[in-house]
Short mmCIF file of all heavy atoms in Angstrom, two decimals:
data_model
loop_
_atom_site.label_atom_id
_atom_site.label_comp_id
_atom_site.label_asym_id
_atom_site.label_seq_id
_atom_site.Cartn_x
_atom_site.Cartn_y
_atom_site.Cartn_z
N THR A 1 71.32 75.45 -13.96
CA THR A 1 72.56 74.73 -14.25
C THR A 1 73.73 75.40 -13.55
O THR A 1 74.58 74.75 -12.96
CB THR A 1 72.81 74.69 -15.77
OG1 THR A 1 71.71 74.00 -16.39
CG2 THR A 1 74.09 73.97 -16.12
N ARG A 2 73.76 76.73 -13.60
CA ARG A 2 74.83 77.46 -12.93
C ARG A 2 74.78 77.26 -11.41
O ARG A 2 75.80 77.06 -10.77
CB ARG A 2 74.74 78.95 -13.26
CG ARG A 2 75.98 79.74 -12.84
CD ARG A 2 75.82 81.23 -13.08
NE ARG A 2 75.03 81.91 -12.07
CZ ARG A 2 75.39 82.06 -10.78
NH1 ARG A 2 76.50 81.56 -10.35
NH2 ARG A 2 74.62 82.72 -9.96
N THR A 3 73.57 77.27 -10.85
CA THR A 3 73.41 77.14 -9.41
C THR A 3 73.77 75.73 -8.92
O THR A 3 74.45 75.57 -7.92
CB THR A 3 71.96 77.48 -8.99
OG1 THR A 3 71.68 78.83 -9.38
CG2 THR A 3 71.75 77.33 -7.50
N LEU A 4 73.28 74.71 -9.63
CA LEU A 4 73.51 73.33 -9.21
C LEU A 4 74.89 72.82 -9.58
O LEU A 4 75.36 71.84 -9.00
CB LEU A 4 72.43 72.41 -9.81
CG LEU A 4 71.01 72.68 -9.34
CD1 LEU A 4 70.04 71.78 -10.10
CD2 LEU A 4 70.90 72.46 -7.85
N GLY A 5 75.51 73.45 -10.55
CA GLY A 5 76.84 73.02 -10.98
C GLY A 5 76.81 72.59 -12.43
O GLY A 5 75.92 71.86 -12.85
N GLU A 6 77.78 73.05 -13.17
CA GLU A 6 77.83 72.76 -14.60
C GLU A 6 78.58 71.48 -14.91
O GLU A 6 78.52 70.98 -16.02
CB GLU A 6 78.45 73.95 -15.34
CG GLU A 6 77.62 75.20 -15.18
CD GLU A 6 78.24 76.42 -15.83
OE1 GLU A 6 79.07 76.26 -16.74
OE2 GLU A 6 77.89 77.53 -15.42
N THR A 7 79.30 70.96 -13.94
CA THR A 7 80.10 69.76 -14.15
C THR A 7 79.42 68.56 -13.52
O THR A 7 78.99 68.62 -12.37
CB THR A 7 81.50 69.94 -13.52
OG1 THR A 7 82.08 71.15 -14.02
CG2 THR A 7 82.40 68.78 -13.85
N TYR A 8 79.35 67.47 -14.26
CA TYR A 8 78.78 66.23 -13.75
C TYR A 8 79.78 65.55 -12.83
O TYR A 8 80.96 65.39 -13.18
CB TYR A 8 78.43 65.31 -14.93
CG TYR A 8 78.06 63.91 -14.51
CD1 TYR A 8 76.85 63.66 -13.89
CD2 TYR A 8 78.94 62.86 -14.71
CE1 TYR A 8 76.52 62.38 -13.49
CE2 TYR A 8 78.61 61.57 -14.32
CZ TYR A 8 77.39 61.34 -13.71
OH TYR A 8 77.06 60.08 -13.31
N HIS A 9 79.33 65.18 -11.66
CA HIS A 9 80.16 64.45 -10.72
C HIS A 9 79.45 63.13 -10.40
O HIS A 9 78.40 63.14 -9.75
CB HIS A 9 80.36 65.24 -9.42
CG HIS A 9 81.08 66.53 -9.62
ND1 HIS A 9 82.44 66.59 -9.78
CD2 HIS A 9 80.63 67.80 -9.70
CE1 HIS A 9 82.81 67.86 -9.94
NE2 HIS A 9 81.72 68.61 -9.90
N PRO A 10 80.00 62.01 -10.86
CA PRO A 10 79.33 60.74 -10.59
C PRO A 10 79.36 60.39 -9.11
O PRO A 10 80.21 60.88 -8.36
CB PRO A 10 80.14 59.74 -11.42
CG PRO A 10 81.48 60.37 -11.58
CD PRO A 10 81.24 61.85 -11.58
N LEU A 11 78.44 59.55 -8.70
CA LEU A 11 78.39 59.06 -7.33
C LEU A 11 79.67 58.27 -7.05
O LEU A 11 80.04 57.37 -7.81
CB LEU A 11 77.16 58.16 -7.15
CG LEU A 11 76.93 57.56 -5.77
CD1 LEU A 11 76.68 58.67 -4.75
CD2 LEU A 11 75.73 56.62 -5.81
N ARG A 12 80.36 58.63 -5.99
CA ARG A 12 81.60 57.93 -5.65
C ARG A 12 81.27 56.81 -4.67
O ARG A 12 80.79 57.06 -3.57
CB ARG A 12 82.62 58.88 -5.04
CG ARG A 12 83.14 59.89 -6.06
CD ARG A 12 84.24 60.72 -5.51
NE ARG A 12 83.75 61.46 -4.34
CZ ARG A 12 84.46 62.34 -3.66
NH1 ARG A 12 85.69 62.58 -4.01
NH2 ARG A 12 83.95 62.97 -2.63
N LEU A 13 81.53 55.59 -5.09
CA LEU A 13 81.26 54.42 -4.26
C LEU A 13 82.56 53.92 -3.65
O LEU A 13 83.63 54.02 -4.28
CB LEU A 13 80.62 53.33 -5.11
CG LEU A 13 79.33 53.72 -5.83
CD1 LEU A 13 78.87 52.61 -6.75
CD2 LEU A 13 78.24 54.06 -4.82
N ASN A 14 82.48 53.39 -2.44
CA ASN A 14 83.66 52.82 -1.81
C ASN A 14 84.19 51.66 -2.63
O ASN A 14 83.42 50.91 -3.24
CB ASN A 14 83.33 52.32 -0.40
CG ASN A 14 83.00 53.45 0.56
OD1 ASN A 14 83.38 54.59 0.34
ND2 ASN A 14 82.29 53.12 1.62
N SER A 15 85.51 51.52 -2.65
CA SER A 15 86.09 50.39 -3.40
C SER A 15 85.72 49.07 -2.73
O SER A 15 85.59 48.05 -3.40
CB SER A 15 87.60 50.55 -3.51
OG SER A 15 88.19 50.65 -2.23
N ARG A 16 85.55 49.09 -1.41
CA ARG A 16 85.10 47.90 -0.68
C ARG A 16 83.74 48.21 -0.08
O ARG A 16 83.60 49.15 0.69
CB ARG A 16 86.08 47.56 0.44
CG ARG A 16 87.40 47.00 -0.08
CD ARG A 16 88.31 46.56 1.03
NE ARG A 16 87.62 45.70 1.97
CZ ARG A 16 88.02 45.53 3.22
NH1 ARG A 16 89.08 46.14 3.68
NH2 ARG A 16 87.35 44.73 4.03
N PRO A 17 82.72 47.44 -0.45
CA PRO A 17 81.38 47.70 0.10
C PRO A 17 81.40 47.59 1.62
O PRO A 17 82.23 46.91 2.17
CB PRO A 17 80.52 46.60 -0.52
CG PRO A 17 81.29 46.15 -1.72
CD PRO A 17 82.74 46.35 -1.39
N PRO A 18 80.49 48.25 2.27
CA PRO A 18 79.35 48.97 1.72
C PRO A 18 79.63 50.46 1.52
O PRO A 18 80.51 51.03 2.14
CB PRO A 18 78.29 48.80 2.80
CG PRO A 18 79.07 48.82 4.08
CD PRO A 18 80.37 48.11 3.73
N THR A 19 78.85 51.05 0.67
CA THR A 19 78.76 52.50 0.54
C THR A 19 77.38 52.86 1.09
O THR A 19 76.38 52.30 0.65
CB THR A 19 78.86 52.95 -0.93
OG1 THR A 19 80.13 52.58 -1.45
CG2 THR A 19 78.67 54.45 -1.05
N VAL A 20 77.34 53.74 2.05
CA VAL A 20 76.08 54.12 2.67
C VAL A 20 75.61 55.45 2.09
O VAL A 20 76.38 56.40 2.04
CB VAL A 20 76.22 54.23 4.21
CG1 VAL A 20 74.91 54.68 4.84
CG2 VAL A 20 76.68 52.90 4.79
N VAL A 21 74.35 55.48 1.65
CA VAL A 21 73.74 56.71 1.16
C VAL A 21 72.50 56.95 2.01
O VAL A 21 71.62 56.10 2.08
CB VAL A 21 73.33 56.59 -0.33
CG1 VAL A 21 72.64 57.86 -0.80
CG2 VAL A 21 74.55 56.28 -1.19
N LEU A 22 72.45 58.09 2.67
CA LEU A 22 71.32 58.45 3.51
C LEU A 22 70.58 59.59 2.83
O LEU A 22 71.18 60.60 2.49
CB LEU A 22 71.80 58.89 4.90
CG LEU A 22 70.73 59.43 5.85
CD1 LEU A 22 69.75 58.33 6.23
CD2 LEU A 22 71.40 60.00 7.10
N LEU A 23 69.29 59.41 2.61
CA LEU A 23 68.45 60.46 2.01
C LEU A 23 67.60 61.07 3.11
O LEU A 23 66.87 60.37 3.80
CB LEU A 23 67.57 59.88 0.91
CG LEU A 23 68.29 59.21 -0.25
CD1 LEU A 23 67.30 58.56 -1.20
CD2 LEU A 23 69.15 60.21 -0.99
N VAL A 24 67.68 62.39 3.25
CA VAL A 24 66.97 63.10 4.30
C VAL A 24 66.21 64.26 3.66
O VAL A 24 66.72 64.91 2.76
CB VAL A 24 67.95 63.66 5.36
CG1 VAL A 24 67.22 64.40 6.46
CG2 VAL A 24 68.80 62.54 5.94
N GLY A 25 65.00 64.49 4.12
CA GLY A 25 64.23 65.62 3.61
C GLY A 25 62.84 65.62 4.20
O GLY A 25 62.48 64.74 4.98
N LEU A 26 62.06 66.62 3.82
CA LEU A 26 60.70 66.74 4.31
C LEU A 26 59.79 65.69 3.69
O LEU A 26 60.12 65.10 2.66
CB LEU A 26 60.15 68.13 3.98
CG LEU A 26 60.85 69.30 4.68
CD1 LEU A 26 60.28 70.62 4.18
CD2 LEU A 26 60.73 69.19 6.18
N HIS A 27 58.64 65.48 4.31
CA HIS A 27 57.65 64.54 3.80
C HIS A 27 57.22 64.93 2.40
O HIS A 27 56.98 66.11 2.12
CB HIS A 27 56.40 64.49 4.70
CG HIS A 27 56.69 63.99 6.08
ND1 HIS A 27 57.01 62.69 6.34
CD2 HIS A 27 56.72 64.64 7.26
CE1 HIS A 27 57.22 62.54 7.63
NE2 HIS A 27 57.06 63.72 8.22
N GLY A 28 57.15 63.95 1.51
CA GLY A 28 56.62 64.19 0.17
C GLY A 28 57.60 64.82 -0.80
O GLY A 28 57.18 65.33 -1.83
N THR A 29 58.90 64.79 -0.50
CA THR A 29 59.86 65.42 -1.40
C THR A 29 60.56 64.43 -2.33
O THR A 29 61.46 64.83 -3.05
CB THR A 29 60.92 66.22 -0.62
OG1 THR A 29 61.58 65.36 0.31
CG2 THR A 29 60.28 67.39 0.11
N GLY A 30 60.17 63.16 -2.29
CA GLY A 30 60.70 62.20 -3.26
C GLY A 30 61.86 61.34 -2.79
O GLY A 30 62.57 60.76 -3.61
N LYS A 31 62.07 61.23 -1.49
CA LYS A 31 63.19 60.42 -0.99
C LYS A 31 63.03 58.95 -1.33
O LYS A 31 63.98 58.31 -1.80
CB LYS A 31 63.32 60.58 0.54
CG LYS A 31 63.65 61.98 0.98
CD LYS A 31 63.64 62.11 2.49
CE LYS A 31 62.32 61.79 3.13
NZ LYS A 31 61.22 62.71 2.80
N THR A 32 61.85 58.39 -1.13
CA THR A 32 61.63 56.97 -1.40
C THR A 32 61.76 56.69 -2.89
O THR A 32 62.42 55.72 -3.30
CB THR A 32 60.25 56.53 -0.88
OG1 THR A 32 60.16 56.85 0.52
CG2 THR A 32 60.04 55.04 -1.07
N THR A 33 61.20 57.53 -3.72
CA THR A 33 61.31 57.38 -5.17
C THR A 33 62.77 57.48 -5.60
O THR A 33 63.26 56.68 -6.41
CB THR A 33 60.46 58.44 -5.88
OG1 THR A 33 59.10 58.28 -5.47
CG2 THR A 33 60.55 58.30 -7.39
N THR A 34 63.49 58.45 -5.06
CA THR A 34 64.90 58.61 -5.40
C THR A 34 65.71 57.40 -4.97
O THR A 34 66.58 56.93 -5.72
CB THR A 34 65.47 59.89 -4.73
OG1 THR A 34 64.74 61.01 -5.23
CG2 THR A 34 66.95 60.07 -5.03
#
C-alpha cells in the first residue's frame, strides 16, 4: 500500500471523448483481462 500509493486516484477521462488508454506489458501479464 505504501509503495503503490495510499490515496485512491480515479481514472481521469477527457471531458470530450475519446480518452485513449494504452496497456503495455510482457506476454501473460493480464493486459487483455485488464
Side-chain angles (χ1 to χ4, degrees):
T1 299
R2 192 185 79 66
T3 300
L4 295 175
E6 298 177 22
T7 307
Y8 169 73
H9 297 282
L11 181 63
R12 292 186 300 183
L13 303 174
N14 292 338
S15 57
R16 289 185 50 202
T19 297
V20 178
V21 177
L22 175 66
L23 300 175
V24 180
L26 295 176
H27 297 290
T29 57
K31 297 175 299 295
T32 305
T33 301
T34 299

